[in-house]
Amino acid sequence: MLKSAIASGLLLILSTQGYADESSEKALALLKKTTNTLQSAKTLSVRAVATIDEVEPTEDFKLQRTFSLEVKFERPGKLYAQKTGDENQVAYFDGKTFTVIDPIGKRYGQMALEGTVDDLLMKLDELNVQAPLIDLLLSNLTEVAQKSVLKAKYIGVSRVAARNCEHIAFRTAVADWQLWVAQDAQGSICKSVITTRSVAQAPQYQVTFGQWTYNTSIEENSFTSKIPAGAQQVPLTPGTFRLAL
């Protein structure tokens, strides 16, 4: 499951035990730079294009879905995330209520939750709700990312969407995780690929990011849910929604 892959591949990645070679040390240093930027940002916004593999349990086909992403985030507890394409959903969190909307199916799920995005992450994990990459928003991302990676490697400089990026790779017990980090002051993420080896046919989740914007004001109404007229409320239970992030 992508959530467990993220947990193993992203959040457990900065351990320095057993790493003496220059390649792994460089990869870990770049990852730390990136996570420090993300966790220190008071606000951030980004657009991206994502592809996700889905393995059909009955026919064993591996199918690829593609969608565009837009994310806006304000610490400590405000989030907007929208995806459009093969999957269409919008998610809102205003620090008091979490809402996810399927505008095509005209349905939505909602739950009261007063707290931060960290609290939201904990609740989603309890519900076994799939929310790939949402762990990037943890307030203590660098601190949490201190455990158990089997291998780290610096690959080299690569071009992603007309940007020079440094390609790094990691292996955990369940997943391989590749990251392309921009050669800029922030170490912004250009691209991420997670390959879940623990799942049959090793499905991938790939995201190519546009320009990240940090620490600029975001309109307050961006985080207020806008439920379409006639939409039916459904329980927010495991498997009902795969979130936009």
Side-chain angles (χ1 to χ4, degrees):
M1 188 177 64
L2 284 169
K3 180 67 177 178
S4 62
I6 292 285
S8 297
L10 172 62
L11 299 181
L12 307 179
I13 213 106
L14 289 180
S15 171
T16 58
Q17 295 182 355
Y19 293 108
D21 63 281
E22 183 179 348
S23 174
S24 59
E25 288 179 355
K26 189 170 184 178
L28 292 165
L30 282 166
L31 184 63
K32 186 174 182 179
K33 177 181 179 181
T34 296
T35 57
N36 280 344
T37 292
L38 290 169
Q39 77 169 38
S40 63
K42 301 302 182 184
T43 68
L44 64 81
S45 59
V46 68
R47 293 177 183 266
V49 176
T51 58
I52 184 172
D53 291 337
E54 292 184 350
V55 179
E56 290 189 340
T58 54
E59 300 185 31
D60 210 29
F61 276 112
K62 184 163 71 173
L63 306 177
Q64 188 177 86
R65 310 291 187 188
T66 302
F67 45 87
S68 298
L69 294 168
E70 181 181 10
V71 177
K72 298 177 183 180
F73 172 61
E74 181 180 306
R75 295 195 189 280
K78 295 180 180 179
L79 172 68
Y80 165 86
Q82 180 180 30
K83 65 179 177 182
T84 55
D86 289 341
E87 298 179 354
N88 297 271
Q89 285 179 0
V90 189
Y92 300 90
F93 182 56
D94 61 3
K96 296 181 179 179
T97 304
F98 175 70
T99 306
V100 57
I101 301 168
D102 172 6
I104 304 299
K106 291 190 176 180
R107 60 186 187 135
Y108 71 97
Q110 195 169 63
M111 66 178 177
L113 180 65
E114 188 163 353
T116 68
V117 170
D118 285 13
D119 297 320
L120 173 63
L121 284 166
M122 291 178 62
K123 186 62 177 179
L124 293 178
D125 195 43
E126 291 174 9
L127 292 172
N128 199 27
V129 173
Q130 296 187 43
L133 300 184
I134 200 168
D135 293 309
L136 289 171
L137 305 179
L138 278 169
S139 64
N140 61 340
L141 181 60
T142 302
E143 177 186 350
V144 173
Q146 295 293 322
K147 305 173 184 176
S148 87
V149 57
L150 301 177
K151 187 180 294 186
K153 186 176 183 179
Y154 177 81
I155 308 300
V157 177
S158 180
R159 294 281 286 177
V160 177
R163 292 171 290 178
N164 287 332
C165 303
E166 297 188 78
H167 184 188
I168 51 181
F170 304 91
R171 170 156 288 189
T172 72
V174 298
D176 291 342
W177 188 49
Q178 300 178 72
L179 193 65
W180 286 257
V181 178
Q183 292 181 321
D184 59 19
Q186 294 80 22
S188 301
I189 302 175
C190 301
K191 180 179 173 182
S192 173
V193 177
I194 300 167
T195 304
T196 309
R197 302 190 326 275
S198 60
V199 176
Q201 297 198 45
Q204 290 189 326
Y205 184 81
Q206 174 177 311
V207 183
T208 302
F209 295 92
Q211 186 69 39
W212 291 79
T213 302
Y214 307 102
N215 300 314
T216 60
S217 60
I218 298 175
E219 291 184 5
E220 186 66 25
N221 64 6
S222 297
F223 308 108
T224 302
S225 62
K226 302 167 182 64
I227 300 171
Q232 180 181 4
Q233 185 170 5
V234 297
L236 191 58
T237 56
T240 305
F241 295 96
R242 176 168 51 226
L243 303 188
L245 193 59

